[in-house]
Amino acid sequence: MNENDFYIYAIAALLPLSAFMLVFQVNPYHALVIRGILGAIAALVYAVLGAADVALTEALVGTMLAITLYAVAVRSSLVMRLGVLKEEWSAAQSEQFAQLLDELRTILRKRHMRLEVFPYPDMQSLEQALVDKEVHTTCVQRSHPHAQPYHTVTRVQRLYEIMQTELASPETSLTYVNPLDAKEKHS
């Protein structure tokens, strides 16, 4: 290298900078973009240094394939699946239930998550879905007049903690169920 190759040093300096940004990124979607930038910079450094085969491999596998796989993983893992009873879901588009869902979506959005609602035909299949880990949380309407209108049960302790601290809705009561205990109960 000669003294006119200072651009190589500038490009190489971007590698630790982008890696640092990647490690401390909170939003997983922004982390995907930064990971793509990191891979592109690495491929550029390899190409400038004369390792065209390594640069091509980094660009194709290290960047394109990795980003695609990460995107699929992030998209599928940042979901809270909420199980509800089918008749309540079709009839319960009440204002209270809609407010509860909106509040859950707001809470989850802060954590870059989304809410998916799955209706089940009866209470037994809804409880079994929670035990079988088809859903993370269930929400059913209570018929008792002195109780809160909705009862929410979750098998994910972190979701329970989040909802317990941030769910301001007085319409629902929360319960955490250890999945192992629930599985033994239904066995």
Side-chain angles (χ1 to χ4, degrees), residues 22 30-42 62-64 67:
L22 178 64
H30 294 167
L32 283 172
V33 172
I34 294 170
R35 173 58 180 94
I37 293 168
L38 177 65
I41 293 170
T63 303
M64 302 294 282
I67 294 299

Side-chain angles (χ1 to χ4, degrees), residues 64-83:
M64 302 294 282
L65 182 61
I67 294 299
T68 303
L69 294 176
Y70 291 160
V72 169
V74 165
R75 180 73 179 153
S76 65
S77 67
L78 295 175
V79 175
M80 183 181 102
R81 294 186 308 265
L82 176 68

Side-chain angles (χ1 to χ4, degrees), residues 15-168:
L15 278 172
L17 176 66
S18 57
F20 181 79
M21 289 173 54
L22 178 64
V23 168
F24 291 102
Q25 183 53 248
V26 175
N27 186 328
Y29 298 107
H30 294 167
L32 283 172
V33 172
I34 294 170
R35 173 58 180 94
I37 293 168
L38 177 65
I41 293 170
L44 181 63
V45 168
Y46 295 140
V48 167
L49 293 176
D53 56 338
V54 178
L56 184 61
T57 302
E58 175 62 33
L60 293 175
V61 176
T63 303
M64 302 294 282
L65 182 61
I67 294 299
T68 303
L69 294 176
Y70 291 160
V72 169
V74 165
R75 180 73 179 153
S76 65
S77 67
L78 295 175
V79 175
M80 183 181 102
R81 294 186 308 265
L82 176 68
V84 296
L85 292 174
K86 189 175 263 183
E87 70 265 1
E88 289 179 12
W89 175 244
S90 55
Q93 295 302 329
S94 68
E95 190 174 319
Q96 280 183 330
F97 192 67
Q99 285 175 344
L100 178 62
L101 291 179
D102 286 343
E103 191 171 354
L104 281 172
R105 284 187 180 103
T106 302
I107 291 168
L108 294 173
R109 202 171 298 124
K110 289 183 207 173
R111 288 160 179 80
H112 313 289
M113 295 177 69
R114 66 187 197 288
L115 177 69
E116 290 181 356
V117 180
F118 292 91
Y120 286 87
D122 55 41
M123 192 63 179
Q124 184 179 3
S125 60
L126 181 63
E127 288 174 350
Q128 191 62 41
L130 189 66
V131 171
D132 292 342
K133 298 182 179 181
E134 292 174 16
V135 295
H136 300 107
T137 305
T138 61
C139 184
V140 295
Q141 193 169 13
R142 288 184 170 172
S143 57
H144 193 276
H146 299 295
Q148 293 155 316
Y150 296 102
H151 181 68
T152 305
V153 178
T154 185
R155 65 174 172 80
V156 181
Q157 186 164 2
R158 182 67 182 134
L159 286 175
Y160 173 73
E161 292 166 358
I162 290 168
M163 288 189 289
Q164 189 178 32
T165 57
E166 295 188 32
L167 192 62

